[in-house]
Amino acid sequence: MSNTDFSKKRIVIKLSGSNFSIDGANIKDSLSNYARMLSDVNDKYQPIVVAGGGITARTYIKIARGLGADEANLDNIGIEVSRLNARLIMVALGDQAYPQVPRNLEDVAIAASSGKIVVTGGLHPGQSTNATSALIAETVKAARFLNATDVDGIYDSDPKINENAKLFKRITINECMKILGNENSMAGTYELLDIVALKVIERSGISTMVIRSNVQNIRSAILSDGYTIGTEIIANHSQR
Ligand code: UTP
């Protein structure tokens, strides 16, 4: 299949901001490995990648909060940092990438219609890149939304705090809302999947997986090659 084959299934991939951590020594190699994997799968699928803001976003938000910025302004700072991270992946992808970072959902739709690999950051204040990714999955009619994060999936309690936390292989959207629905909504502190993300997944029955972010996991989740990883979210009325 050609890389501008418009019948390819679209996969939205939220790449955790932890992939862009400024103190990680091997970011360059890691991003070029991600880019190679995205190019490989691009034969059959069109990846739409959403870069998170990571530690750089949180550092900037903390400084600006100390300077007295309001929450919407802080969100905009996080968005700008996630766009910078998006640019790094675009550079790694070279010609395979759509050459602009989309700034709203309409831009994303236009970029996706090019058939190229689209890389974006955040779009709107008041939500995380996870919510944005769910809205993008809805807009581009993605076959799947992969939330590639820094934990193995959704647990019954925070695995960073509780070492006995249990990982769900599958979870319904309602259970997910009970577990994740009370999380933070201050700039820089949106957690795994915020309520906006869950509501969008629910209303459009988006097939969603939460997986640990690494090249092998993302490749397997895209190709659905039977390698079982992470948590699958069962939207109440899966449409795709
Ligand atoms: P995220 O918190 O979504 O990035 O964006 P992250 O670091 O990748 O998240 P995890 O840890 O992998 O889940 C950074 C900040 O940018 C703002 C929010 O303040 C968010 O906390 N943001 C991002 C928005 O306001 N809107 C967006 O669409 C995206």
Side-chain angles (χ1 to χ4, degrees):
M1 259 182 236
S2 89
N3 284 350
T4 47
D5 180 336
F6 301 115
S7 64
K8 285 193 278 194
K9 282 187 175 172
R10 291 173 174 162
I11 311 281
V12 170
I13 306 159
K14 154 72 202 292
L15 260 195
S16 165
S18 58
N19 288 295
F20 309 89
S21 162
I22 40 178
D23 44 5
N26 299 315
I27 296 179
K28 179 176 74 67
D29 289 348
S30 165
L31 292 184
S32 75
N33 288 337
Y34 276 117
R36 202 166 309 122
M37 176 271 294
L38 292 169
S39 300
D40 289 350
V41 300
N42 191 215
D43 197 35
K44 293 206 178 107
Y45 298 89
Q46 183 187 15
I48 316 284
V49 181
V50 185
I55 198 165
T56 313
R58 279 183 270 280
T59 304
Y60 272 65
I61 286 170
K62 190 171 169 206
I63 295 167
R65 184 174 277 126
L67 291 169
D70 58 71
E71 290 299 314
N73 239 316
L74 295 173
D75 279 338
N76 276 326
I77 289 172
I79 290 171
E80 290 302 336
V81 174
S82 65
R83 287 177 178 154
L84 263 184
N85 288 340
R87 283 189 177 276
L88 283 180
I89 306 189
M90 286 165 68
V91 171
L93 283 166
D95 285 348
Q96 304 240 44
Y98 184 78
Q100 258 181 358
V101 181
R103 300 183 74 85
N104 55 50
L105 284 175
E106 210 170 280
D107 284 354
V108 173
I110 293 166
S113 70
S114 72
K116 293 209 163 216
I117 300 175
V118 178
V119 192
T120 183
L123 300 179
H124 308 287
Q127 61 197 44
S128 65
T129 38
N130 299 315
T132 296
S133 303
L135 284 163
I136 289 173
E138 188 173 62
T139 303
V140 303
K141 300 184 172 43
R144 184 165 282 191
F145 165 30
L146 303 178
N147 188 340
T149 182
D150 62 349
V151 288
D152 286 325
I154 298 174
Y155 290 80
D156 59 356
S157 58
D158 187 343
K160 291 173 187 160
I161 298 168
N162 175 10
E163 60 178 31
N164 296 318
K166 176 178 154 277
L167 177 71
F168 292 100
K169 291 308 286 172
R170 304 179 91 209
I171 187 171
T172 65
I173 197 89
N174 289 339
E175 284 174 293
C176 221
M177 283 188 190
K178 274 188 222 144
I179 295 172
L180 302 173
N182 293 328
E183 293 192 339
N184 268 321
S185 57
M186 300 283 278
T189 66
Y190 298 98
E191 305 286 350
L192 197 54
L193 281 167
D194 58 4
I195 196 73
V196 181
L198 292 171
K199 285 283 176 195
V200 174
I201 291 167
E202 181 184 39
R203 74 179 181 187
S204 290
I206 298 165
S207 165
T208 302
M209 283 178 75
V210 179
I211 57 176
R212 181 176 287 278
S213 187
N214 64 47
V215 168
Q216 188 193 8
N217 282 354
I218 296 176
R219 186 196 299 272
S220 296
I222 294 173
L223 302 177
S224 305
D225 60 5
Y227 173 68
T228 56
I229 35 166
T231 302
E232 183 185 356
I233 299 179
I234 315 296
N236 298 346
H237 54 290
S238 197
Q239 292 176 341
R240 299 180 239 280

